[in-house]
Amino acid sequence: MPAEQTLKAVRGSFIDFTRTAETPQEIAPTLRFIEDGLLLIRHGKIEWFGEWEKGKEQVPETVRVRDYRGKIIVPGFVDTHIHYPQSEMVGAYGEQLLDWLNKYTFPAERRYEDREYAREMSAFFIKQLLRNGTTTALVFGSVHPQSVEALFEAYKVGQLQGYPLSAYEAFYLATLGGAKALGLDHLIGNFMPGKEADFVVLEPTATPLQQLRYDNSVTLFDKLFVMMTLGDDRAIYRTYVDGRVAYERN
């Protein structure tokens, strides 16, 4: 196969963090924003990343450039802890933890003893991950082996209470920070060459309210904060895993 047929090119505005941080104060200086950037992918790995003007000559005329200008491209989201057998009872009411477990969690997890049910729910769960831009995760199954056999990815929801989380820190924790927590920051988490080409194309103006707030945001920090607070699965335009589209919004 000719070399150019194995090359993929993506153009757009990119945000990532160039190195891991030990404290929240170290995060902002590691932020990298390229307003008009180019990502070159070969065999699922990042081959080159930088400014469009500096890299466009590396793109053969026969290679179609996937142009996402007007959107924001970030590394795939990483989550480090979730129980996928609890998918069907998310948001269930419970005054106390023990009552909640006995009424919702344990009955839901017992259903995963059925292999076919576990397979159906694992497919639903993975689709929801990709729909929300999550490309790498650590997921806990039930005590039944069938539930684990049916699942091929993992996920984490981190809950922080009483902490003034900045937009930069939120995006760091969802990308490179999450990768570091799982010991995978040498493979994923930013756009460094050699890493796996997992990334998300975000639509920052997916709803009228987001459009209004985005139009009235001046700094990059403000725009990220809008997406952090108002964004949902409608803001996920495309999700890429190993350089391939794994989810696209209708």
Side-chain angles (χ1 to χ4, degrees), residues 14 21 24 57 100 103 130 192 211-212 223 240-241 248:
F14 293 83
E57 300 301 325
W100 182 75
K103 187 174 182 180
L130 297 172
M192 292 298 187
Q211 178 79 65
L212 178 64
K223 294 178 179 179
Y240 281 78
V241 177
E248 55 184 328

Side-chain angles (χ1 to χ4, degrees), residues 4-143:
E4 61 268 21
Q5 293 186 17
T6 67
L7 184 69
K8 295 181 180 180
V10 178
R11 183 181 184 181
S13 297
F14 293 83
I15 295 174
D16 72 344
F17 297 87
T18 58
R19 63 182 184 276
T20 59
E22 298 299 329
T23 66
Q25 293 73 26
E26 297 176 5
I27 293 175
T30 73
L31 176 74
R32 172 170 54 180
F33 173 58
I34 300 181
E35 188 170 8
D36 188 8
L38 173 65
L39 184 71
L40 298 181
I41 304 163
R42 196 184 301 275
H43 302 306
K45 301 291 181 65
I46 297 172
E47 184 171 278
W48 190 89
F49 175 63
E51 296 179 6
W52 167 258
E53 289 298 327
K54 294 181 179 179
K56 63 182 181 181
E57 300 301 325
Q58 300 184 51
V59 183
E61 293 183 359
T62 55
V63 173
R64 177 174 69 90
V65 177
R66 292 156 177 83
D67 194 338
Y68 292 123
R69 280 177 291 176
K71 298 176 173 58
I72 296 178
I73 304 172
V74 300
F77 297 140
V78 180
D79 254 327
T80 56
H81 183 138
I82 194 172
H83 296 259
Y84 104 89
Q86 298 177 11
S87 300
E88 56 270 61
M89 40 79 62
V90 168
Y93 174 76
E95 290 186 357
Q96 300 296 328
L97 176 59
L98 187 58
D99 293 337
W100 182 75
L101 291 172
N102 287 327
K103 187 174 182 180
Y104 300 107
T105 303
F106 297 149
E109 292 193 353
R110 279 196 291 270
R111 301 180 68 183
Y112 285 77
E113 187 176 4
D114 184 319
R115 185 182 301 272
E116 289 303 316
Y117 182 79
R119 182 178 293 114
E120 176 184 346
M121 291 307 300
S122 66
F124 172 83
F125 181 75
I126 291 172
K127 288 179 181 178
Q128 289 300 304
L129 293 185
L130 297 172
R131 183 187 181 95
N132 287 276
T134 302
T135 57
T136 300
L138 172 64
V139 177
F140 292 87
S142 72
V143 297

Side-chain angles (χ1 to χ4, degrees), residues 142-195:
S142 72
V143 297
H144 308 99
Q146 296 89 336
S147 74
V148 179
E149 292 170 3
L151 187 68
F152 298 98
E153 285 196 21
Y155 185 79
K156 153 151 191 167
V157 174
Q159 182 179 5
L160 299 176
Q161 295 182 340
Y163 182 81
L165 186 67
S166 75
Y168 291 161
E169 187 175 355
F171 275 86
Y172 170 81
L173 292 174
T175 56
L176 187 59
K180 180 185 178 184
L182 294 180
L184 297 174
D185 51 301
H186 62 296
L187 297 174
I188 58 173
N190 59 20
F191 295 119
M192 292 298 187
K195 291 192 175 183

